[in-house]
RNA sequence: GCGGGCGUAGCUCAAUUGGUAGAGCGCCAGCCUUCCAAGCUGGCUGUUGUGGGUUCGAGUCCCAUCGCCCGCUCCA
């Protein structure tokens, strides 16, 4: 990472605080790691992103419906999904074959005579002795004979996967690949339902919104006169007790997701996977993420999660590195099958036309709302040069948001605070607000200063009422990025901005 | 989780060997301004992240804790 990009992130964080986009949570108490608050400008930006998503994936389509599930669900949901089992024991994963083991059940066994290593394998067992036996028994006959021949001089090293000595890595019992260090995953936030804090009342804050959709799949199917292929969309908070929150809001412990579960016939899963992957990628570009910083990266086969048949990440080149904004996965029928098994409820869809009964496959485009917000902030941050009142070029900081995302769409100024200009400007401002545009009125200080303040907020248009306005009812409207001004009728300001938003 | 750095006004930073905290910008009020921040006048701002300790005295030294940044690690 170059010095410049590090600077960029620092400047962006400073601007976010200075202008009221993002604050650290509970800052007056010293903050809390992994939690962030959106200020007056930030909340508008984030809402605009969520609104754009909802409009584009739900309202504009006939094959999509929305949902808003509770954050706390019956804990059995998380047993079915695999979240409880997978994250309560210390676990190791094979970096090569992706197998997962309980760390206290996997040993690495090494037999060596001096520098000469005769045996170096992983073994599944309950204790060291059994691990050594298992490793010996699993060896081929030639190796076994050599071990017996050198028995007296052999030095055995056996260690459990969660107690590996510094610098030693564990070996996968299945493929011989390298295992990760042991990790105790307890990523789900635990809480208690009701007044009694005992084991029967344990519940979890959802680590993803997806399971609420799967749990309601039958309800939606039964009530909406809808049939596959169709999707259910949801925006909502999720919680993960991340070991190490990092990179501003990128990895937070409380975050908001925008998720779609799209249900289709298994034979059409590949088609819909490709469709959503491309559709979602295009969405970010359309809202202003330059394609050269955005990339679509298909997962390698060995990178896939156990439930996924195919997956692609939509990644953005942040100042701190290329990181994932959204994942689009073919989750097959894994989740519905799991819920059928754990709940005992039939998850099949019966097709009246073909008389076919099947559990749909699911394509899941799962986006991080805060991550998208951060990407749009990074993309918007620009430093350029603009002339001051003497024509000397000065540095300018400007947030070049897509107008659809900009927290404030329009600022209205009187050029000077006299000759009736404030009244005319306030009138335009009020008219804009009545039309539903986020508008800001400012009459204080020099007009140049007011323009620059709006640049930092990312306001795409500034309207100024001047002397000529009083003669012919026209105003200047200034473009944030080009600094160019058009002169238009005051009565047409609202329409002008609305046209720009529709582009 | 490990290692390193850091924490002083809203922001960026100052404060000699420990001697009762200061500047610029911003912000607010007013003036001046007929179009792109640094014209004028005046004004506000801090339990120096928090809690202990050493000391006659701590922003400065010690301990703990919280948070932020960087690198590793991690990210079903």
């Amino acid at each position: 990472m170059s010095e410049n990009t590090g600077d960029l992130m620092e400047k962006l964080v400073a601007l976010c605080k200075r202008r009221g986009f993002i604050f650290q949570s509970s800052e007056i108490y010293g903050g809390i790691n992994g939690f962030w608050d959106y200020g007056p400008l930030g909340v508008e930006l984030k809402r605009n992103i969520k609104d754009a998503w909802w409009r584009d994936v739900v309202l504009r389509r006939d094959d999509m419906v929305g949902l808003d599930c509770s954050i706390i669900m019956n804990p059995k949901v998380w047993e079915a999904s695999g979240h409880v089992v997978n994250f309560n024991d210390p676990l190791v994963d094979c970096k090569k074959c992706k197998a997962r083991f309980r760390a206290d059940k996997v040993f690495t066994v090494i037999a060596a005579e001096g520098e000469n290593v005769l045996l170096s394998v992983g073994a599944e067992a309950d204790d060291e002795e059994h691990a050594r036996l298992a490793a010996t028994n699993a060896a081929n006959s030639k190796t076994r004979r050599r071990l017996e021949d050198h028995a007296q001089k052999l030095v055995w090293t056996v260690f459990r996967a969660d107690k590996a000595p510094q610098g030693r890595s564990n070996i996968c019992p299945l493929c011989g690949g390298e295992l990760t260090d042991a990790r105790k995953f307890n990523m789900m936030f635990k809480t208690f339902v009701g007044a009694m804090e005992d084991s029967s009342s344990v519940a979890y804050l959802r680590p993803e919104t997806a399971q609420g959709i799967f749990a309601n799949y039958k309800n939606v199917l039964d009530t909406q006169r809808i049939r596959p292929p169709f999707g259910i969309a949801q925006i909502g908070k999720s919680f993960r007790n991340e070991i190490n929150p990092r990179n501003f809001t990128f990895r937070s412990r409380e975050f908001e997701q925008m998720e779609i579960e799209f249900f289709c016939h298994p034979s059409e899963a590949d088609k819909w996977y490709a469709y959503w992957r491309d559709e979602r990628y295009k969405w970010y570009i359309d809202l202003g993420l330059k394609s050269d910083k955005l990339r679509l990266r298909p997962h390698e086969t060995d990178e896939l999660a156990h439930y996924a048949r195919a997956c692609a990440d939509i990644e953005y080149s942040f100042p701190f590195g290329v990181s994932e904004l959204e994942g689009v996965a073919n989750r097959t029928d894994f989740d519905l099958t799991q819920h059928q098994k754990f709940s005992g409820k039939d998850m099949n869809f019966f097709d009246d036309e073909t008389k076919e009964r099947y559990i749909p496959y699911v394509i899941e485009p799962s986006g991080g709302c805060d991550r998208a917000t951060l990407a749009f902030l990074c993309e918007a941050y620009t430093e350029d040069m603009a002339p001051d009142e003497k024509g000397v070029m000065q540095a300018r900081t400007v947030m070049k948001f897509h107008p659809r995302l900009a927290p404030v769409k329009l600022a209205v100024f009187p050029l000077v605070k006299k000759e009736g200009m404030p009244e005319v400007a306030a009138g335009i401002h009020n008219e804009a607000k009545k039309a539903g545009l986020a508008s800001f009125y400012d009459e204080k200080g020099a007009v140049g200063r007011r323009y620059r303040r709006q640049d930092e907020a990312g306001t795409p248009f500034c309207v100024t009422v001047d002397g000529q306005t009083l003669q012919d009812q026209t105003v200047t409207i200034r473009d944030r990025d080009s600094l160019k001004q058009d002169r238009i009728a005051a009565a047409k300001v609202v329409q002008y901005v609305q046209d720009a938003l529709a582009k």
Side-chain angles (χ1 to χ4, degrees):
Chain A
M1 188 188 300
S2 75
E3 218 169 288
N4 283 341
T5 55
D7 280 356
L8 172 57
M9 207 56 210
E10 270 177 43
K11 286 182 191 168
L12 180 66
V13 172
L15 183 142
C16 280
K17 179 170 184 192
R18 188 169 70 243
R19 290 299 175 198
F21 282 98
I22 298 173
F23 307 121
Q24 194 182 4
S25 170
S26 340
E27 192 187 286
I28 59 169
Y29 291 104
I32 177 167
N33 196 355
F35 298 89
W36 301 90
D37 297 341
Y38 287 84
L41 288 185
V43 69
E44 296 296 339
L45 173 63
K46 193 175 166 186
R47 274 178 50 104
N48 289 339
I49 291 168
K50 287 190 281 189
D51 287 349
W53 185 88
W54 193 263
R55 183 166 46 199
D56 291 341
V57 308
V58 180
L59 299 181
R60 284 184 176 165
R61 304 182 64 102
D62 292 327
D63 58 356
M64 192 77 76
V65 292
L67 194 65
D68 185 14
C69 304
S70 66
I71 285 171
I72 293 174
M73 303 175 72
N74 188 310
K76 283 183 182 149
V77 167
W78 309 111
E79 290 174 26
S81 70
H83 287 84
V84 172
V85 174
N86 284 333
F87 302 113
N88 280 324
D89 295 314
L91 301 170
V92 289
D93 293 307
C94 177
K95 293 177 181 172
K96 194 171 155 198
C97 72
K98 298 292 161 190
R100 164 164 287 176
F101 308 91
R102 280 183 56 176
D104 57 346
K105 300 287 183 191
V106 172
F107 292 81
T108 293
V109 181
I110 300 166
E113 183 186 353
E115 297 286 295
N116 186 21
V117 176
L118 299 185
L119 187 70
S120 176
V121 297
E124 282 186 274
D126 288 332
D127 55 50
E128 291 186 16
E129 190 53 36
H130 286 93
R132 188 170 141 176
L133 280 173
T136 311
N137 291 337
N140 61 35
S141 57
K142 191 177 165 190
T143 306
R144 273 209 300 275
R145 192 176 312 126
R146 290 178 65 195
L147 289 171
E148 284 163 22
D149 291 347
H150 296 76
Q152 300 302 318
K153 296 173 187 167
L154 281 183
V155 176
W156 289 83
T157 307
V158 182
F159 52 85
R160 217 168 81 179
D162 55 348
K163 293 178 177 172
Q166 184 99 44
R168 304 295 288 268
S169 52
N170 299 295
I171 299 170
C172 175
L174 297 183
C175 75
E178 188 185 342
L179 297 178
T180 60
D181 291 339
R183 297 161 302 192
K184 184 158 175 123
F185 283 107
N186 229 335
M187 297 229 313
M188 280 197 293
F189 280 91
K190 217 180 254 188
T191 188
F192 299 92
V193 175
M196 299 298 288
E197 293 195 1
D198 57 43
S199 59
S200 67
S201 64
V202 167
Y204 303 96
L205 307 192
R206 67 182 175 202
E208 61 177 28
T209 58
Q211 296 305 325
I213 296 179
F214 294 128
N216 277 294
Y217 151 80
K218 285 296 274 185
N219 284 336
V220 172
L221 207 52
D222 293 346
T223 59
Q224 298 304 305
R225 299 177 63 222
I226 201 166
R227 48 181 287 141
F230 79 100
I232 303 177
Q234 172 165 221
I235 297 176
K237 285 281 182 85
S238 290
F239 304 81
R240 296 184 193 178
N241 213 346
E242 297 285 356
I243 296 166
N244 191 1
R246 200 55 83 83
N247 291 330
F248 200 25
T249 58
F250 184 82
R251 179 168 299 135
S252 301
R253 291 185 165 129
E254 175 178 341
F255 58 100
E256 200 153 16
Q257 292 184 297
M258 305 185 290
E259 289 198 299
I260 299 167
E261 306 299 333
F262 195 84
F263 302 91
C264 63
H265 190 278
S267 68
E268 293 192 320
D270 288 344
K271 182 185 97 182
W272 283 108
Y273 164 73
Y275 169 83
W276 279 110
R277 180 195 60 201
D278 298 343
E279 190 74 7
R280 293 303 305 144
Y281 180 64
K282 193 167 155 288
W283 187 80
Y284 290 97
I285 296 173
D286 288 347
L287 282 177
L289 291 194
K290 286 180 205 144
S291 48
D292 65 338
K293 283 197 176 171
L294 195 69
R295 77 174 192 185
L296 190 60
R297 188 179 67 82
H299 279 205
E300 303 297 328
T301 315
D302 62 0
E303 195 183 349
L304 294 173
H306 60 284
Y307 51 74
R309 178 158 300 176
C311 185
D313 283 346
I314 297 169
E315 298 178 327
Y316 182 72
S317 178
F318 287 98
F320 49 79
V322 177
S323 297
E324 177 189 351
L325 295 181
E326 174 159 348
V328 181
N330 175 357
R331 292 180 72 114
T332 70
D333 57 359
F334 176 82
D335 300 278
L336 290 180
T337 303
Q338 283 293 106
H339 285 300
Q340 176 167 287
K341 195 167 130 194
F342 278 73
S343 70
K345 302 289 190 297
D346 183 11
M347 295 292 169
N348 278 282
F349 172 76
F350 181 70
D351 189 325
D352 285 312
E353 288 170 19
T354 63
K355 306 296 178 197
E356 189 186 4
R357 182 180 294 277
Y358 63 92
I359 294 183
Y361 268 34
V362 174
I363 309 303
E364 178 192 78
S366 170
C369 183
D370 307 87
R371 290 181 173 189
T373 305
L374 184 57
F376 285 116
L377 280 165
C378 287
E379 183 79 20
Y381 186 93
T382 310
E383 289 172 349
D384 63 9
M385 301 299 284
D388 65 12
E389 61 186 336
K390 299 183 189 77
V392 180
M393 298 305 276
Q394 301 284 351
R396 176 179 80 132
T397 301
V398 50
M399 298 299 284
K400 296 189 174 178
F401 296 118
H402 187 292
R404 249 174 97 174
L405 300 183
V408 179
K409 311 299 186 197
L410 173 68
V412 188
F413 312 142
L415 184 58
V416 291
K417 200 166 50 175
K418 58 184 183 190
E419 293 172 24
M421 293 182 202
E423 289 73 16
V424 176
I428 296 171
H429 164 65
N430 287 328
E431 194 190 319
K433 287 182 71 150
K434 221 182 288 173
L437 287 178
S439 177
F440 186 85
Y441 174 77
D442 192 357
E443 60 178 26
K444 304 278 177 64
V447 73
R449 182 181 302 261
R450 287 177 257 160
Y451 283 134
R452 295 300 170 84
R453 263 198 286 254
Q454 294 305 318
D455 288 340
E456 277 202 344
T459 305
F461 302 106
C462 291
V463 159
T464 300
V465 170
D466 57 15
Q468 190 177 332
T469 309
L470 308 176
Q471 311 299 315
D472 62 8
Q473 286 77 50
T474 63
V475 294
T476 60
I477 186 159
R478 171 233 196 215
D479 179 82
R480 175 194 65 201
D481 300 341
S482 68
L483 303 177
K484 291 213 176 82
Q485 291 181 313
D486 274 353
R487 185 166 278 279
I488 62 172
K492 291 202 171 150
V493 166
V494 169
Q495 190 59 50
Y496 185 100
V497 176
Q498 282 172 339
D499 287 349
L501 291 175
K503 273 180 195 162

